[in-house]
Amino acid sequence: MTKCLVIGACGQLGTELTAGLRSKYGINNVIASDIHPPEGGVKDAPFEILDAMNFDALKSIVEMHQIDTIYHLAAILSAKGEQNPPLAWSLNMTSLLNVLNLAKENNSIKIFWPSSIAVFGPTTPKDNTPQDCIMDPNTVYGISKLAGERWCQYYHEKYGVDVRSVRYPGLIGSKTLPGGGTTDYAVDIFYKVLQGEQYECFLAEDCILPMMYMDDAVEATIHIMEADKPSIKVRTSYNLSAISFTPAELYQEIKKQIPEAKITYNPDYRQNIANSWPNSIDDSNARKDWGWKHTFDMKKLVEVMLSELEPKVASM
Ligand code: SER
């Protein structure tokens, strides 16, 4: 039985991945960790306070719990990263290198580390963006993810580290709010609409971006980590895709269920970031190599988000 450590377990993805791993491997086989305790306190499940920039602290938690698999999710995302580029670079790179160095010392530790569509840039092909193409990210987050992908491949080739990665699109889930990304509008809109308020979107109505419902993201993550080693042929990071839509298309789908929903558009600095990212992604390598497939289209995503958030927003 595997023993996992999730770093960044209180974040948007971390919360739902930790729950997914626990239902699969058992509560006590998944150690959640974050720099802050979870909102609402630590429940009856293993949790450690961990600053992933501190190698010794990381090592001692891994040894204490006899961890064999690390999901390293802690990062500063695209929009927030632009407000403090040195901090974003330092956190994103130091924490990744700490985890890679630990696995270099002990090759039996397997690592998952997420990359992102932010590795692409203004001269990347926009439609059906291939796995291998020009990558010229112009955010500190994107630069750190691209550098991180190269480090993952380097540690795999030079030191035999079994590190696996996917380039997530914008992730949409109901459990926890996203923390400072360019795709966050696609979560924020649900809260405003359910609160009966008009939503002011910080991206333009026709800004198309690749997106994914959280359950698909969790499934992809567990799936790539469980795949046989020889099937993992990409050791930088796999393109991963589900759906692409614009704010206007998402709004229209929401409006089918909540006819009084209202939206206005007031693009800010995040529009420039979005403009540099793909419209859609070719993820045929992931589908071919380890059998990835998504299950949520936009209609299903909207239905589930509204039904899960309705009671939560009512009790806020
Ligand atoms: N959702 C992320 C962001 O917007 C992309 O990886 O920063």
Side-chain angles (χ1 to χ4, degrees):
M1 182 51 94
T2 182
K3 195 91 190 271
C4 316
L5 173 69
V6 181
I7 303 174
C10 299
Q12 187 205 14
L13 173 61
T15 304
E16 304 213 27
L17 180 63
T18 301
L21 291 168
R22 282 184 170 153
S23 70
K24 198 156 180 127
Y25 304 126
I27 290 178
N28 291 321
N29 288 321
V30 182
I31 316 301
S33 75
D34 209 298
I35 194 155
H36 300 299
E39 247 178 64
V42 179
K43 304 266 157 55
D44 292 337
F47 180 88
E48 297 281 356
I49 295 283
L50 173 63
D51 174 359
M53 305 247 277
N54 182 337
F55 180 80
D56 293 336
L58 170 68
K59 188 173 174 174
S60 98
I61 287 174
V62 166
E63 286 176 356
M64 181 167 62
H65 293 282
Q66 297 176 310
I67 297 297
D68 58 45
T69 309
I70 301 176
Y71 293 82
H72 171 35
L73 311 178
I76 294 182
L77 297 188
S78 60
K80 209 166 160 204
E82 293 311 290
Q83 283 149 23
N84 191 344
L87 178 66
W89 175 257
S90 154
L91 171 72
N92 294 0
M93 296 317 299
T94 308
S95 61
L96 171 61
L97 287 167
N98 280 348
V99 171
L100 289 172
N101 282 324
L102 199 64
K104 179 187 164 192
E105 282 178 12
N106 177 355
N107 258 200
S108 64
I109 298 173
K110 210 154 100 176
I111 295 171
F112 177 82
W113 172 80
S115 186
S116 158
I117 53 167
V119 292
F120 299 115
T123 65
T124 296
K126 284 237 172 277
D127 294 311
N128 224 15
T129 302
Q131 174 70 38
D132 299 302
C133 57
I134 293 179
M135 297 161 98
D136 54 352
N138 57 10
T139 61
V140 65
Y141 174 68
I143 296 170
S144 74
K145 288 294 180 190
L146 182 53
E149 289 191 5
R150 306 305 310 166
W151 277 122
C152 288
Q153 184 168 45
Y154 186 92
Y155 272 70
H156 176 70
E157 283 176 1
K158 304 271 175 187
Y159 311 123
V161 171
D162 188 0
V163 51
R164 305 174 182 201
S165 177
V166 295
R167 294 171 181 153
Y168 290 122
L171 300 183
I172 300 165
S174 61
K175 303 280 185 303
T176 311
L177 284 170
T182 302
T183 55
D184 294 9
Y185 89 84
V187 177
D188 298 345
I189 185 171
F190 287 96
Y191 284 84
K192 281 284 178 216
V193 160
L194 285 167
Q195 283 159 347
E197 288 175 32
Q198 176 166 296
Y199 178 61
E200 186 178 280
C201 184
F202 58 76
L203 296 183
E205 61 185 310
D206 59 352
C207 174
I208 186 161
L209 285 171
M211 299 281 187
M212 180 177 286
Y213 184 60
M214 190 58 81
D215 287 15
D216 275 339
V218 168
E219 153 61 22
T221 309
I222 296 178
H223 199 132
I224 191 176
M225 291 304 275
E226 288 195 336
D228 292 343
K229 210 167 169 182
S231 66
I232 307 299
K233 299 192 168 53
V234 174
R235 289 294 183 162
T236 49
S237 187
Y238 276 96
N239 274 8
L240 192 74
S241 139
I243 37 181
S244 285
F245 54 75
T246 64
E249 286 165 345
L250 180 62
Y251 168 66
Q252 284 308 328
E253 194 60 48
I254 292 173
K255 219 168 138 60
K256 285 182 192 161
Q257 295 199 45
I258 306 187
E260 58 282 10
K262 296 245 173 330
I263 191 169
T264 56
Y265 299 94
N266 187 12
D268 64 17
Y269 71 100
R270 289 168 280 193
Q271 184 62 50
N272 287 335
I273 300 177
N275 287 344
S276 74
W277 289 354
N279 299 334
S280 59
I281 300 284
D282 174 4
D283 63 354
S284 45
N285 287 63
R287 290 177 192 262
K288 181 168 58 114
D289 291 356
W290 44 275
W292 155 245
K293 48 182 186 304
H294 70 280
T295 55
F296 281 76
D297 59 15
M298 187 172 64
K299 183 168 180 287
K300 198 166 155 196
L301 175 153
V302 168
E303 279 167 14
V304 177
M305 283 295 281
L306 288 174
S307 73
E308 289 193 351
L309 284 178
E310 206 171 3
K312 190 172 165 184
V313 169
S315 68
M316 273 162 110

